[in-house]
């Protein structure tokens, strides 16, 4: 069962509980959680580490063509916000790390989710699904939350496309960012051991005319009921228990999140 839940992009294989010096993965079961050894890093001291050039059918080439719009992005970075993913210099020229992750079917969300972030993530999901409908997608989350509408738009796309979308949490996954974590493919929802996860009811700021405030409150109440129902479906918990957990900010360790049903496994690291 555990072997079927772990898909190819995660680069995991079932083995004995003895740690090997090579970056292979192992599974060990305990009464409370499933622990999985650390995933191989997608980039390291060399471009060969974790980045096979034939992975998922994407050729990995290190030249200026890989950095689409490099000069334009660098110029914009001087006067505007820096790019989400940095460029690094390699012997073959500048390399856009977001392109490397995209070739390996990895999507990274490391900021609050607004309409712009949601558009980028949705575009990546749809593009990867169009390229290959059979290979899974992995989404790394270090997300403090964001717009409920934008989060739901990403989730709708995750559940609509044919490839399975696994989620990996690290750092902090809070507010509706936790909804994306829990909404990943069952059996493919993971977290690093030091991750903190926080769930709560949607927040809103009402203003304007009295009738407008009433409508905004009704919209917020409907959003809370919908999100609580989604958490109940993702975790298998009763709706009443979910409502108790989301009544106020509820901070969870990975073991607590695993027990609650937000996760399927914990990635093992040294500490």
């Amino acid at each position: 069962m555990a072997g079927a839940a772990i898909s190819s992009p995660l680069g995991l294989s079932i083995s004995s509980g003895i740690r090997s010096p090579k970056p292979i993965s192992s599974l060990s079961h305990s009464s409370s959680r499933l622990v999985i050894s650390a995933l191989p890093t997608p980039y390291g001291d060399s471009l060969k580490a974790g980045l096979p050039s034939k992975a998922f059918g994407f050729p990995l080439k290190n030249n200026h063509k890989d950095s689409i719009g490099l000069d334009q992005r660098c110029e914009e970075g001087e006067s505007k916000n820096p790019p989400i993913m940095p460029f690094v210099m390699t012997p073959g020229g500048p390399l856009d790390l977001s392109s490397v992750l995209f070739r390996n079917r990895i999507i990274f969300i490391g900021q609050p989710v607004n309409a712009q972030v949601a558009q980028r993530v949705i575009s990546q999901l749809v593009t990867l699904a169009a390229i290959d409908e059979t290979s899974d997608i992995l989404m790394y989350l270090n997300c403090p939350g964001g717009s409920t509408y934008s989060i739901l738009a990403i989730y709708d796309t995750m559940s609509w496309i044919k490839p399975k979308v696994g989620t990996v949490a690290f750092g902090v996954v809070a507010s509706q960012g936790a909804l994306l974590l829990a909404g990943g493919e069952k059996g493919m929802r993971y977290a690093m051991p030091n991750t903190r996860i926080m769930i709560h009811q949607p927040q809103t700021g009402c203003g304007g005319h009295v009738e407008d405030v009433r409508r905004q409150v009704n919209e917020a109440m409907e959003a809370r009921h919908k999100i609580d129902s989604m958490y109940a479906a993702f975790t298998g918990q009763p709706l009443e228990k979910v409502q108790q957990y989301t009544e106020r900010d509820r901070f969870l360790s990975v073991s607590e999140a695993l027990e609650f049903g937000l996760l399927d496994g914990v990635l093992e690291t040294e500490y």
Side-chain angles (χ1 to χ4, degrees), residues 25 43 58 61 81 94 96-97 103 105 116 121 129 208-210 218 243 261:
S25 303
Y43 43 82
F58 292 97
K61 300 179 181 179
N81 293 330
D96 181 2
L97 296 185
R103 285 192 187 92
R105 303 181 71 83
Q116 182 180 7
V121 174
H209 299 292
V210 173
N218 289 338
Q243 290 174 340

Side-chain angles (χ1 to χ4, degrees), residues 8-31:
S8 57
L10 296 178
L12 300 175
S13 61
I14 300 177
S15 64
S16 64
I18 302 176
R19 295 295 299 275
S20 171
K22 297 182 180 180
I24 63 175
S25 303
S26 60
L27 295 177
S28 61
H29 292 276
S30 65
S31 59

Side-chain angles (χ1 to χ4, degrees), residues 127-227:
T127 301
L128 290 174
I131 292 173
D132 188 349
E133 294 183 348
T134 60
S135 297
D136 301 339
I137 300 171
L138 193 61
M139 181 179 293
Y140 281 82
L141 299 169
N142 182 19
C143 176
S147 166
T148 300
Y149 299 125
S150 298
I151 294 286
L152 291 176
I154 295 175
Y155 170 74
D156 285 343
T157 307
M158 292 168 57
S159 59
W160 175 67
I161 60 176
K162 290 184 178 180
K164 298 178 181 179
V165 181
T167 52
V168 177
F170 64 101
V172 60
V173 178
S175 188
Q176 308 316 324
L179 191 68
L180 289 181
L181 172 63
E185 183 72 18
K186 288 290 183 68
M188 295 171 58
R189 305 172 302 174
Y190 305 100
M192 301 294 182
N194 294 312
T195 306
R196 295 296 291 177
I197 299 166
M198 189 272 282
I199 58 176
H200 62 189
Q201 58 181 293
Q203 296 178 342
T204 183
C206 300
H209 299 292
V210 173
E211 179 62 21
D212 292 336
V213 171
R214 185 186 68 81
R215 297 186 181 191
Q216 292 170 18
V217 170
N218 289 338
E219 175 69 8
M221 293 177 64
E222 290 182 6
R224 183 192 177 184
H225 178 73
K226 179 176 183 61
I227 290 174

